[in-house]
Amino acid sequence: EIVMTQSPATLSVSPGERATLSCRASQSVSSNFAWYQQKPGQAPRLLIYGASTRATGVPARFTGSGSGTEFTLTISSLQSEDFAVYYCQQYHNLWTFGQGTKVEIK
Amino acid sequence: EVLLVQSGAEVKKPGSSVKISCKVSGTSFSDYYIHWVQQAPGKRLEWMGLVDPEDGNTLYAEKFQGRLSFSADTSTDTAYMELSSLRSEDTAIYYCVAVGTNYAWFDPWGQGTLVTVSS
């Protein structure tokens, strides 16, 4: 099983600041990688697939990068609606998720 | 727009079974695999498996082998997940997800179904 490890567990950021979230895979997943956003009481929402392609309707302030085992999600200027939990996922070999990073208001 | 609507919350006794439905609309049911994901309190999202509505083929995550059963009814465009021998650790929100046959990321998701296992 490919294990996905996210860091940090919690990120405290002020509105308007940049947030950088990381995810590491236990073995290479190439670019078979996605990011999801989950708000309380809601299902996860696809943000990024193919490591760097924004899903339909996702604002340009969300940028995904990386390949192989190291991936990053950058939110360039945090808006109030961006405070949520973010999960990474690999779909290279079956499907596994990271444990999540909570982005909270500083 | 592809829409997945799941059945409502359930409360079950330990040792019993639960069956959750996921109705797909806005698309051809057979053009998607239906995956199921567990989100237990304080735990990461966990992929449970998938069903191909076109032929009924299934793939189960090893963790759930033997207790899990997926099915799909193409006459009603509805997928089902049945989990048996329930225990307290199965208390979770269960999501169905539609994944197109030409891609592998998870989109769109159902709204989730809360299953509570309690004596």
Side-chain angles (χ1 to χ4, degrees), chain B residues 17-60:
Chain B
S17 298
V18 67
K19 190 170 186 176
I20 298 169
S21 67
C22 172
K23 182 165 176 61
V24 180
S25 62
T27 188
S28 173
F29 189 44
S30 300
D31 286 347
Y32 290 82
Y33 300 115
I34 303 300
H35 293 243
W36 293 88
V37 176
Q38 181 191 60
Q39 187 169 36
K43 299 284 184 71
R44 70 179 66 197
L45 296 163
E46 187 145 19
W47 176 76
M48 302 176 72
L50 68 89
V51 59
D52 181 350
E54 177 137 275
D55 55 17
N57 282 346
T58 55
L59 177 63
Y60 299 108

Side-chain angles (χ1 to χ4, degrees), chain A residues 20-59:
Chain A
T20 302
L21 291 66
S22 297
C23 182
R24 173 176 293 175
S26 60
Q27 63 190 78
S28 177
V29 299
S30 186
S31 294
N32 298 310
F33 181 89
W35 289 100
Y36 299 85
Q37 176 194 67
Q38 187 177 33
K39 296 180 180 179
Q42 296 183 16
R45 168 200 176 197
L46 176 70
L47 291 179
I48 302 284
Y49 62 90
S52 61
T53 303
R54 279 187 294 274
T56 302
V58 175

